[in-house]
Amino acid sequence: MTDPSRPASSPRGGPPGATVWLTGLPSAGKSTIALALAARLRAEARRTEVLDGDEMRGLLSSDLGYARADRDTNVRRVGLVAELLARNGVLVLVPVIAPYAQVRAEVRKRHEASGAAYLEVHVAAPVEVCARRDVKGLYARQRAGQLSGLTGVDDPYEEPERPDLRLDTDRQSPAESVAALRALLAARGLCASSGLCTP
């Protein structure tokens, strides 16, 4: 039986692949952290991909709405793509809200069953802070009555109970969050602790 705490080696001989799922409220900082970390890891020659939530919605799940069943289906689809990449030695960063704990657990179990490492990172910030940032104008649209079903406001968000890492982005800078996440990857054997990551 596969030990999920010991990720399988990459089929290409480098560090093992893994999925790092960054879950959190809109404007919590998920994409900012994922893109900055991806740039750093690529500079270290680590095979890295980012599956951005908005891009995946547009390309992979354009047929879905925002009811719970549709959101869960979207998460499963993104999870499958991430797992396939992770099984082939890619470090996959997934900044996707994924508001419901049950489907996040499903994605983790699927990874573990296939021998692919999976880390859940809670990108945490109070909704008031996220609303002030409002990177995409979602909170303003909700207040104006132009949008309903906004996660954390009029639709639920179930915080991870035991994430592999919690990043409190209201109290730490993006650079500090990136450093903390990279340190976790190094500690889990998913990237070199120093020097370049072998491709």
Side-chain angles (χ1 to χ4, degrees):
M1 183 175 178
T2 302
D3 180 355
S5 68
R6 299 181 61 84
S9 298
S10 166
R12 297 167 66 101
T19 291
V20 181
W21 200 292
L22 295 95
T23 176
L25 296 175
S27 293
K30 301 179 298 299
S31 293
T32 298
I33 294 166
L35 292 171
L37 178 59
R40 178 172 174 177
L41 292 174
R42 288 169 182 153
E44 298 170 356
R46 180 64 166 104
R47 296 176 66 216
T48 307
E49 294 291 343
V50 177
L51 301 184
D52 181 74
D54 289 340
E55 186 176 22
M56 291 295 100
R57 262 284 180 175
L59 296 175
L60 196 65
S61 297
S62 60
D63 58 316
L64 298 177
Y66 289 89
R68 174 162 184 164
D70 284 355
R71 292 185 189 215
D72 285 351
T73 297
N74 176 59
V75 169
R76 291 186 187 103
R77 290 177 181 178
V78 177
L80 174 60
V81 174
E83 181 208 336
L84 293 173
L85 290 169
R87 277 197 279 140
N88 285 278
V90 179
L91 182 62
V92 191
L93 305 176
V94 186
V96 172
I97 294 171
Y100 301 112
Q102 181 176 341
V103 73
R104 293 197 305 261
E106 287 179 26
V107 173
R108 179 188 287 274
K109 287 178 183 177
R110 183 179 175 95
H111 276 71
E112 292 175 349
S114 69
Y118 179 91
L119 303 178
E120 185 176 71
V121 176
H122 183 198
V123 182
V127 68
E128 296 81 7
V129 172
C130 295
R132 285 199 300 271
R133 293 173 179 165
D134 204 9
V135 177
K136 299 171 185 174
L138 298 176
Y139 293 92
R141 290 175 58 200
Q142 192 276 336
R143 287 193 299 270
Q146 300 168 357
L147 177 71
S148 62
L150 180 59
T151 300
V153 179
D154 55 359
D155 211 61
Y157 176 71
E158 298 171 0
E159 292 190 0
E161 292 184 0
R162 292 181 294 277
D164 295 279
L165 179 67
R166 177 184 167 103
L167 300 172
D168 292 299
T169 61
D170 59 321
R171 297 196 296 251
Q172 61 191 115
S173 68
E176 290 170 330
S177 294
V178 168
L181 182 46
R182 194 196 177 286
L184 174 65
L185 296 177
R188 297 291 177 92
L190 299 169
C191 191
S193 57
S194 62
L196 295 180
C197 295
T198 305

